[in-house]
């Protein structure tokens, strides 16, 4: 589904990586190794050389906005620009909001008063609404306690299964990798290496 070949920038290299629909790929590496940067390459937000294909179609076969709708990055700091949280969703999301451990009344609130963890969970739900094929998440559980982390992991796993979506997420947590990873990509000395399903 997603295939990368000979990716090269000043900071990151990747020889050949593939990931399939429905998979959960966990991206690890030391702090500052380039995990967030690599997600930005996949979203075609920074210059890079090489080849990235989605369903055998190269990036340049898509307009920029269409590529980023299909290969969607949710950064750790999400942006909210409408008066209430619910205004950002195309259809009612009460059930999903509850599944993430949030009070559905949050949909009526002003986004500027949300906590980091609330914003993080709602940003993922908002991304689901746009039906991406690939979801790129930068530490989606960074601001969540263990219970909410577990709810988020269940929701992400459900999305991969139900939508045949490909999830690529960064994580510093080996236990999370053990729970979630169908495939483990690791950044070592500037190279992104597929460690298979090794935990
Ligand atoms: N657009 C860019 N151009 C050049 N260098 C960049 C760019 N974006 C990030 N960097 C640099 O790339 C390096 C890796 O940063 P990045 O944020 O990707 O690390 P990370 O692995 O996600 O770290 P952490 O685990 O601490 O979040 C940093 O030195 C950063 O300054």
């Amino acid at each position: 589904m997603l295939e990368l070949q000979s990716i090269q920038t000043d900071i990151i290299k990747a020889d050949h990586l593939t990931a399939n629909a429905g998979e959960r790929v966990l991206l690890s590496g030391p702090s500052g190794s380039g995990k967030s940067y690599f997600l930005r390459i996949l979203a075609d937000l920074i210059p890079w050389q090489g080849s990235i294909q989605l369903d055998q179609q190269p990036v340049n076969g898509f307009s920029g906005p269409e590529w980023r709708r299909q290969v969607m990055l949710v950064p750790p700091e999400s942006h909210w620009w409408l008066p209430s949280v619910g205004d950002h969703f195309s259809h009612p999301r009460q059930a999903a909001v509850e599944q993430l451990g949030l009070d559905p009344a949050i949909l009526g609130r002003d986004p500027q008063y949300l906590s980091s963890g609330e914003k993080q969970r709602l940003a993922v739900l908002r991304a689901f609404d746009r039906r991406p094929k690939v979801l790129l998440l930068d530490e989606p559980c960074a601001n969540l306690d263990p219970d909410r982390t577990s709810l988020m992991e269940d929701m992400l796993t459900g999305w991969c299964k139900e939508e045949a979506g490909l999830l690529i997420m960064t994580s510093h947590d080996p236990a999370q990798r053990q729970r979630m990873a169908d495939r483990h990509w690791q950044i070592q000395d500037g190279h992104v290496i597929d460690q298979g399903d090794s935990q």
Side-chain angles (χ1 to χ4, degrees), residues 11 29-38 40 46-47 138-139 170 172 187:
I11 292 174
S31 293
S33 59
K35 298 181 294 299
S36 307
Y37 180 88
F38 184 62
R40 290 172 64 76
I46 47 179
D138 202 348
E139 297 201 49
T170 66
H172 280 291
I187 303 184

Side-chain angles (χ1 to χ4, degrees), residues 80 82-89 97 105-112 114 122 126:
W80 301 81
L82 295 170
S84 80
V85 172
D87 294 338
H88 295 80
F89 291 86
V97 164
I106 203 167
L107 291 166
R109 285 179 52 197
D110 183 337
Q112 68 174 315
L114 298 178
L122 290 162
R126 188 177 61 182

Side-chain angles (χ1 to χ4, degrees), residues 9-27:
T9 72
D10 291 345
I11 292 174
I12 284 286
K13 292 181 178 51
D15 292 338
H16 186 226
L17 295 170
T18 58
N20 300 316
E23 280 188 336
R24 298 163 301 176
V25 179
L26 266 74
L27 175 65

Side-chain angles (χ1 to χ4, degrees), residues 159-187:
W159 176 79
C160 291
K161 283 200 182 122
E162 285 151 28
E163 302 283 328
L166 168 59
L167 171 69
I168 302 176
M169 61 180 260
T170 66
S171 173
H172 280 291
D173 180 2
Q176 182 170 57
R177 204 162 66 232
Q178 213 153 32
R179 291 191 297 271
M180 295 271 292
D182 300 311
R183 196 183 283 273
H184 174 204
W185 289 351
Q186 189 172 33
I187 303 184

